[in-house]
Amino acid sequence: MPPQVLQVAVLASGRGSNLDALLASIRAGLVAAQVTAVVSDKPDAPVLALARRHGVPHVVSLPPLAGEKRDAYDVRLAGTLGACKPDLVVLAGYMRIVGPKVCAAFPDRIVNIHPSLLPAFKGLKAIRQALEAGVAFAGCTTHLVTGDLDGGPILLQAALCIRPGESEEELSRRVLRLEHLVLPRTVQLFAEGRIQRHGPGAPGPRDAANASLRIAIAPGPTWLGDARVNLAAGALYGEGF
Ligand code: GRF
């Protein structure tokens, strides 16, 4: 049985608009979760103040120490997260690579939101990459975090048409609005226990043994048609399950 209220830890490095959207969806009753921890690698990230304002119980600034190796930071991060015992870890604008120690501590329970229609335009400056490639659609993707950067199994996506001559700033703003729908929706699917492993593969970072890991979303209620959900005009959002 899924827990009644999913305990969520959020990792973020910046302004925290995705955290804000998640908290708003929880308040609106759309997501049965509680954000119990917010951890940032950037001590001055606005997301930390935002989390404090909203009364998140554990708000942790965890910058890397001088000369600290990535592995050592990972151990500290896994320990910090582990102490909060989250059911789900959400990367919401987290700018560090999450290493194998953290992935192994939360197998199939780390989600990232990325501002492109993966598998296209992985990594940094995804919106700029899309504009430079001249594609017609942009969007965002939630996916499970594995050892493969922005390459874990896809959970949800939403898309919009790129307008002629659209600037990177404007397109980023429109895609961000989609993120604010897709990330909370993804958390709610976990809360409902509907994210299920499908096909072969052991839990943990993607490797040769579980390269074919796929995720299935069990049938259930959708947000399509819910008056509380405000989808940007012209956006495409599929819940075909
Ligand atoms: C989002 O576009 C997210 O997809 C990207 O960083 C941005 C974070 O925005 N990885 P915010 O801090 O949630 O406002």
Side-chain angles (χ1 to χ4, degrees), residues 34-210:
Q34 190 195 359
V35 177
T36 53
V38 170
V39 181
S40 182
D41 57 323
K42 298 266 191 282
D44 52 357
V47 71
L48 290 171
L50 179 84
R52 286 190 197 101
R53 276 203 305 281
H54 284 277
V56 173
H58 302 280
V59 181
V60 184
S61 164
L62 196 74
L65 306 170
E68 188 175 28
K69 295 247 163 53
R70 221 174 64 195
D71 253 18
Y73 180 84
D74 237 40
V75 170
R76 286 203 297 133
L77 179 58
T80 302
L81 291 171
C84 304
K85 300 201 189 322
D87 301 309
L88 183 69
V89 177
V90 170
L91 312 189
Y94 185 63
M95 300 313 285
R96 283 180 73 89
I97 291 173
V98 171
K101 295 257 172 10
V102 176
C103 289
F106 302 97
D108 294 354
R109 289 190 292 136
I110 310 179
V111 167
N112 181 41
I113 180 126
H114 183 76
S116 81
L117 294 170
L118 289 172
F121 314 128
K122 296 177 178 177
L124 296 173
K125 309 246 180 264
I127 301 280
R128 186 176 302 174
Q129 291 185 55
L131 286 171
E132 284 173 359
V135 293
F137 293 94
C140 65
T141 304
T142 51
H143 64 92
L144 288 184
V145 173
T146 65
D148 183 6
L149 181 67
D150 294 332
I154 288 171
L155 299 170
L156 290 182
Q157 295 186 304
L160 45 72
C161 286
I162 299 177
R163 294 173 178 151
E166 187 159 19
S167 68
E168 188 180 346
E169 291 67 34
E170 175 63 6
L171 185 55
S172 302
R173 197 185 56 75
R174 293 203 299 133
V175 169
L176 192 64
R177 280 190 61 190
L178 291 185
E179 293 181 39
H180 295 167
L181 169 73
V182 168
L183 185 63
R185 180 62 183 137
T186 303
V187 173
Q188 176 59 9
L189 290 174
F190 276 93
E192 292 173 9
R194 288 166 60 190
I195 304 289
Q196 294 166 358
R197 176 179 286 275
H198 176 75
R206 177 178 283 204
D207 56 24
N210 67 359

